[in-house]
Every structure is written in C-alpha cells, then in structure tokens.
C-alpha cells in the first residue's frame, strides 16, 4: 500500500517520487498515458532510425537545479548521460547576419563589444550584477515563498541592502526585455540574440520581468550550455523509473486518475481511476496537473472546492506551441559554418519581429513571420540518426491556441478556430519557406517532416491546454506568490494531505523539477 500516490509523471512528479523513494517512502506514480514523462517524449516521429524529442529537449535548467544536485549520482548510475554542444545558442536574421552566445564569458564580451562599442562592457556589467544578486534571484525563483525561511531571508536582504536598495532591486527585476535591451545596448543584432529567449519563459519582450528572465537565461547558458540527453530524452525517463522502482516505488501507466477521495475530515485518502478502481494513499496525494484538471475534474465531487473551482476558471493559459521535426539526408550547410555547431538557433527579424509575432499570436492570429527555434541535436549527438544523416527539432513558441485569422492573409481560419491538419501543414510550409532562404537546397535535404499543432500537443498531454506548454500564462499576476491561485499557499491545497505541483505551480515551467523538489523536501 502506497504512502504517497502521485497523479501525473512529468519531470516534477518524477523528481518528487524519486526523492520520497530515496527517503524510504512508498510511492505510487499513476500516468493516464501509455508512457511516462509528461512533456518529455521521444519517438521515431519521421522515419525509422531517426530519434526525435517530440516536445522538451534541452535540460539546462535541470542540470542547474537542486533536484539534479540531489539526484544526478543516482540517475548516472542508471545510465543517464548528457550530450553537450559547443555553442548553446545563436540568432540568424533574414538578411543573413548572425550572432552566437558561447559558454565563455570573455569570448561573449569580446564579440558583443566588436558589434557596438560599449555593448560588451554592458553585458559584462549585467552578468556581474546578476551573479551578485543570484542568491536573491534564485531564492525567489526556486524557494518556498510562503515560509518563515523566506520571510527571514527577505528581512536579511532588506537589512543588508536597506529598504531603498531592496526596492531598487525589484524595480530593475520587473523591467521588460525591451526596456532592458533598447536603452543599454546599441546593437540590434544583440537585441535579436536575446529577445527570443523570453518566449521560452512563457513571456514576450514587453512582459513585466522578461528582462530579468533574459539575463537569467544568458547566465544559465554560459554556466551549463544547452545539453540534451544522449540517445534521446526518453533515457532520463528510464533512469527515473529505475531509481523509483529500485527503492520500492511503483509506476503504473494507462491509469487515469478521475477523482481524489476526500473523507469527512477534509483529508485526501486516495484516488479513483477512470476504470473505477480505488487506490488508498496513507500519507497523501500529489497531483501534477493544471488547476482546471485538479479543481474542475478531480475535486468536482467535493462541495467545499466550489470557490476554488470558480477561482480556477480565471486561471489563464498563454500562447500555444507548435513542433516540427525533420529527417535529413545530411546536416544543413549554413552560410556561416559556425551556425552548424549551435544547439538552439533562433531565426527572427529581431526584437520587433519577436514582439510582432507575440502580439499576433495573442490576438489569435497565425504570425506572418514567427520566431523559429531550431535545434540541431545530431550536431552533438549523432546517435539520433543513421550515420551521416541528421534531424532538426523546430519549436514555434508564438502560436495561437484558437485561430481567428492569419496575419499574412494567406491561410483561411478553420471553423471554430480549431487547428486542423490542413492549417497545420500550410503553416508548416510557411516555416519551411523561411528555412529554404537560409539553407541551400533545403527541400532536397528533406527525407521526411512531421508536424504537431497545438491541438496535437494537447491530445498527447491534457495539461497542455490549447497547446500551452508552460502550464498557464507566466505573467506577473499569475506567477510567484499568485501561482497557481491567489488563495493557495505553496503546494498545499484546501484539502488536507492533497498537494499540487507541476508547471502550473510555483516556480513555474521548465525542466528543473523544482516544484517536485520543494514539495518532497517539505514532506520529509
């Protein structure tokens, strides 16, 4: 009999289950799909022998997380190996100009200074300031916000900095990416390098605190690069599964949790599967899912949850994501050969281009010129394709969840705004046309293409509402103290012994596993 039943098997659920199992607690992980992993999913999506990470692929946040510090020795014993690229990221603009970010701070400073006098020194100052503020920044991004530990930490910071110093920090931290980049950096190519990264935090260039997040990402990419799992992301799932089972835990797939059992004392005592099977949890139930799933489905029969169901109705989901995967005869031959070594290359006109595409997607329009995040896994993990051949991983982080129109006026909106196969492929053709402008004879390279629209992604993972991969909008009103709901505290719920983790909870999305880590430590 399980002490803790965990509904869901994404990175946060697996981290929580692993840490609890290592501390001798009996855990049972229940996954509604046929395989575990949440947004971590690996398939031969195009052709046999071509291994694609369908959704998430880059594990920089995991390697820098406290969860990795605690679990990597155990995961490494069970076969987990990361592949590391030479160059983490870069940008390529329509005119062919490009710029890369390396892991070496000095090289970055020199490159940015060569672009525009003063830009390199400004970058050096920004990274130095971020490093000095790192204890406060990462406490806010990864700590239990509602706790005496956090209260005492903030009081110490206020004493050390002074009240004005602390308010000055927060004023700077709330700056948008545009208001960070434009006043301080002359080079528009540098703007183009940094601006797309805010999309990977669920924000846009005009969003509050997006400037701070762009700095954090640059800092992280220098520290750990943009690693992927050797052989495919499914290998980290195999390592987690072995760790959990080796320590007495159990994992069941095709086990859809339909309801949390709440007794008369208001305590969670177990779950009911969609099949009708009842499972007891002696110590607690942990749910890794959206507020809509938790309060609108699993607690729908618990009358006291009515106010929370109403509050969860106001939980807003953000822009959608679309994925495109290619199997190629050989790797792309870029005009700048250095770009072939870049792990994640953004194709964008620049800061204004990102801003325009974000605005179009948020208004329900297919962006006329979307930001393309292009991954080149076989450049540093050739095992993912047959010898001499290659794959590309494309993410489009500015897709509308419901389509009202096309900003380019070329694709007719589908009935009801629902993504269809025809719209998906037509939009993918727009992306491919952009690739053809940069990669010689690209169409001749292509062996196969596989596309996943926002609707396809939601069909694979019910928590990707409308194709939103970030568990809900990450705007300031729905983040930090107010994530997932304004009335909730940390990862507790109104039901005793029922806990909520995942991208919809603090500290938000990403592969760091931080909400699972925070909860597991709080429970033991």
């Amino acid at each position: 009999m399980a002490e803790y039943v965990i509904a869901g098997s994404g990175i946060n659920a697996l981290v929580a289950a692993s840490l609890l199992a290592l501390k001798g607690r009996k855990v049972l992980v229940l996954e509604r799909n046929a395989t575990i992993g949440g947004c971590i999913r690996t398939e031969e999506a195009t052709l046999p022998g071509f291994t694609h990470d369908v959704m998430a692929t880059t594990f920089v946040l995991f390697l820098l997380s406290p969860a990795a510090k605690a679990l990597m020795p155990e995961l490494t014993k069970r076969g987990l190996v990361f592949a590391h690229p030479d160059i983490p990221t870069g940008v390529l603009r329509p005119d062919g100009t490009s710029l890369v970010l390396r892991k070496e701070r000095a090289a970055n400073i020199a490159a940015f200074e060569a672009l525009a006098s003063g830009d390199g020194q400004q970058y050096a100052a920004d990274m130095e300031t971020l490093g000095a503020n790192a204890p406060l920044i990462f406490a806010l991004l990864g700590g239990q916000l509602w706790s005496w530990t956090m209260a005492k930490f903030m009081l110490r910071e206020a004493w050390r900095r002074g009240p004005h110093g602390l308010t000055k920090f927060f004023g700077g931290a709330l700056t948008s990416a545009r208001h960070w980049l434009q006043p301080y950096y002359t080079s528009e190519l540098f703007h183009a390098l940094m601006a797309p990264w805010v999309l990977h935090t669920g924000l846009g260039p005009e969003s509050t605190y997006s400037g701070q997040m762009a700095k954090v990402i640059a800092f992280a990419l220098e520290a750990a690069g943009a690693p992927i799992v050797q052989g495919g992301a499914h290998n980290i799932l195999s390592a987690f599964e072995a760790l959990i089972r080796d320590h007495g835990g159990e994992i069941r797939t095709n086990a859809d949790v339909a309801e949390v059992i709440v007794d008369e004392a208001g305590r969670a005592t177990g779950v009911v599967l969609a099949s009708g099977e009842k499972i007891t949890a002696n110590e607690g139930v942990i749910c890794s899912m959206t507020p809509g799933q938790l309060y609108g489905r699993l607690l729908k029969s618990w009358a006291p949850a009515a106010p929370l169901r109403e509050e969860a109705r106001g939980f807003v989901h953000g822009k959608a994501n679309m994925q495109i995967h290619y199997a190629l005869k050989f790797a792309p031959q870029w005009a700048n050969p250095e770009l072939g070594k870049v792990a994640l290359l953004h194709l964008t006109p620049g800061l204004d281009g990102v801003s325009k595409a974000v605005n179009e997607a948020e208004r329900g329009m297919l962006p006329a010129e979307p930001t393309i995040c292009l991954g080149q896994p076989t450049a540093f993990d050739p095992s993912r394709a047959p010898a001499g051949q290659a794959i590309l991983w494309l993410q489009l982080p500015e897709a509308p969840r419901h389509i009202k129109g096309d900003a380019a006026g070329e694709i007719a909106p589908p009935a009801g705004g629902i993504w269809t196969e025809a719209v998906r492929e037509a939009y993918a053709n727009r992306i491919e046309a952009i690739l053809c402008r940069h990669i010689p004879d690209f169409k001749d390279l292509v062996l196969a293409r596989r596309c996943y629209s926002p609707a396809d992604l939601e069909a694979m993972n019910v928590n990707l509402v409308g194709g939103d991969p970030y568990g809900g909008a990450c705007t300031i009103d729905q983040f930090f103290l107010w994530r997932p709901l304004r009335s909730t505290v940390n990862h507790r719920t109104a039901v005793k012994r029922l806990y909520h983790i995942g991208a919809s909870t603090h500290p938000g999305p990403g592969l760091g596993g931080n909400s699972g880590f925070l909860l597991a430590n709080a429970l033991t």
Side-chain angles (χ1 to χ4, degrees):
M1 187 176 293
E3 292 177 85
Y4 289 98
V5 170
I6 302 175
S9 67
I11 187 71
N12 287 287
L14 295 174
V15 164
S18 297
L19 290 170
L20 289 169
L22 283 168
K23 293 175 181 179
R25 314 309 291 268
K26 185 68 180 293
V27 297
L28 170 61
V29 177
L30 300 173
E31 168 55 51
R32 71 197 307 269
N33 291 326
T35 57
I36 64 170
C39 286
I40 303 172
R41 184 181 182 123
T42 305
E43 296 177 358
E44 291 184 334
T46 54
L47 293 171
F50 292 83
T51 304
H52 303 269
D53 292 339
V54 176
M55 291 181 273
T57 194
T58 305
F59 284 81
V60 56
L61 293 182
F62 181 74
L63 281 186
L64 294 175
S65 71
K69 184 177 180 181
L71 295 173
M72 271 304 293
E74 294 292 334
L75 296 172
T76 301
K77 288 179 191 175
R78 292 162 177 84
L80 177 61
V81 177
F82 286 99
H84 296 270
D86 291 335
I87 305 173
T89 191
V91 67
L92 176 60
R93 296 194 296 183
D95 64 1
T97 54
S98 61
L99 181 65
V100 301
L101 179 83
R102 303 179 187 277
K103 289 187 279 188
E104 299 80 22
R105 176 77 52 82
N108 289 330
I109 293 170
F112 303 154
E113 189 67 23
L115 281 176
S117 178
D119 279 10
Q121 294 308 310
Q122 181 65 50
Y123 179 80
D126 283 340
M127 292 299 102
E128 184 177 345
T129 299
L130 191 138
N133 287 321
L136 176 54
I137 293 169
F138 292 108
L140 294 171
L141 289 175
Q144 291 279 22
L145 297 183
W146 291 103
S147 67
W148 281 113
T149 299
M150 183 61 69
K152 288 184 284 188
F153 177 83
M154 293 305 298
L155 285 171
R156 287 195 300 270
E157 285 293 311
W159 179 264
R160 184 174 70 87
R161 297 168 183 262
H164 183 69
L166 192 59
T167 58
K168 180 182 177 182
F169 164 79
F170 280 111
L174 294 174
T175 301
S176 71
R178 181 178 291 277
H179 288 174
W180 166 52
L181 292 168
Q182 286 188 326
Y184 296 104
Y185 292 88
T186 302
S187 170
E188 292 190 357
L189 189 52
F190 180 82
H191 297 175
L193 176 68
M194 293 297 170
W197 275 103
V198 305
L199 303 175
H200 299 278
T201 67
L203 301 172
E206 280 71 45
S207 299
T208 302
Y209 81 93
S210 59
Q212 185 74 294
M213 295 308 295
K215 296 176 197 176
V216 167
I217 288 175
F219 192 85
L221 290 171
E222 284 189 343
I228 59 175
V229 178
Q230 187 82 35
H234 63 294
N235 287 329
I236 196 172
L237 302 179
S238 298
F240 269 118
E241 183 171 6
L243 190 163
I244 293 166
R245 293 190 187 279
D246 288 349
H247 288 84
E250 185 181 352
I251 297 174
R252 290 176 55 183
T253 55
N254 297 308
D256 182 13
V257 176
E259 183 180 352
V260 173
I261 302 170
V262 183
D263 67 13
E264 293 180 355
R267 299 175 304 180
T269 60
V271 299
V272 181
L273 302 186
S275 64
E277 179 185 356
K278 293 184 178 181
I279 299 173
T280 299
N282 286 342
E283 296 293 333
V285 175
I286 300 170
C287 293
S288 184
M289 58 189 61
T290 63
Q293 284 290 310
L294 178 58
Y295 296 106
R297 183 175 182 235
L298 272 63
L299 289 174
K300 65 180 182 295
S301 300
W302 192 58
L308 291 170
R309 280 194 292 275
E310 183 62 23
E311 192 175 352
R313 284 183 59 209
F315 186 83
V316 176
H317 286 274
K319 300 180 296 298
N321 181 42
M322 180 169 166
Q323 299 282 158
I324 304 175
H325 298 279
Y326 283 100
L328 304 179
K329 294 175 184 175
F330 52 84
Q333 305 301 300
W334 302 98
N336 177 357
E338 186 176 53
L339 297 183
K341 301 176 183 179
V342 173
L344 293 171
L345 178 68
H346 288 111
L347 279 61
T348 175
L351 173 59
D352 288 342
V354 175
S355 179
K356 180 175 180 289
V358 166
N359 181 270
E360 288 166 349
E362 288 180 341
R363 291 185 292 112
M365 307 294 285
L366 294 167
E369 190 167 7
T371 305
I372 301 170
C373 180
L374 184 148
Q376 305 179 96
T378 38
F380 50 105
D381 181 8
S383 70
R384 294 187 178 219
Q389 298 181 313
I391 62 172
L392 293 181
W393 176 98
L394 271 64
Q395 183 183 63
L396 310 177
E398 306 145 332
R401 289 186 293 116
H402 300 284
I403 302 171
K404 295 180 181 178
D406 178 17
E410 298 170 348
I411 302 172
I418 306 300
W419 282 84
T420 63
E421 180 180 349
V423 169
R424 180 191 71 200
E425 296 304 317
Y427 193 56
N429 289 341
R430 177 174 300 170
I431 307 309
E432 190 164 304
I434 295 173
L435 298 183
C436 288
R437 295 176 208 151
H438 293 288
I439 303 171
D441 303 316
F442 180 70
K443 285 187 179 292
D444 293 336
L445 287 184
V446 176
L447 295 171
R449 181 180 86 180
R450 177 74 179 275
C451 307
Y452 297 86
S453 74
D456 296 327
L457 297 178
E458 184 176 12
M460 289 192 290
N461 185 335
V462 70
N463 292 306
L464 305 183
V465 178
D468 169 14
Y470 300 109
C474 297
T475 47
I476 190 67
D477 60 311
Q478 198 169 269
F479 216 70
F480 298 111
L481 293 169
W482 308 287
R483 194 172 188 90
L485 305 178
R486 296 179 183 95
S487 62
T488 53
V489 175
N490 295 330
H491 301 99
R492 301 194 297 273
T493 70
V495 179
K496 299 170 187 174
R497 306 197 317 177
L498 174 63
Y499 308 98
H500 190 192
I501 61 173
S504 297
T505 70
H506 178 73
L511 294 178
N514 286 335
S515 64
F517 177 84
L518 289 171
L519 178 62
N521 281 342
L523 292 177
T524 55

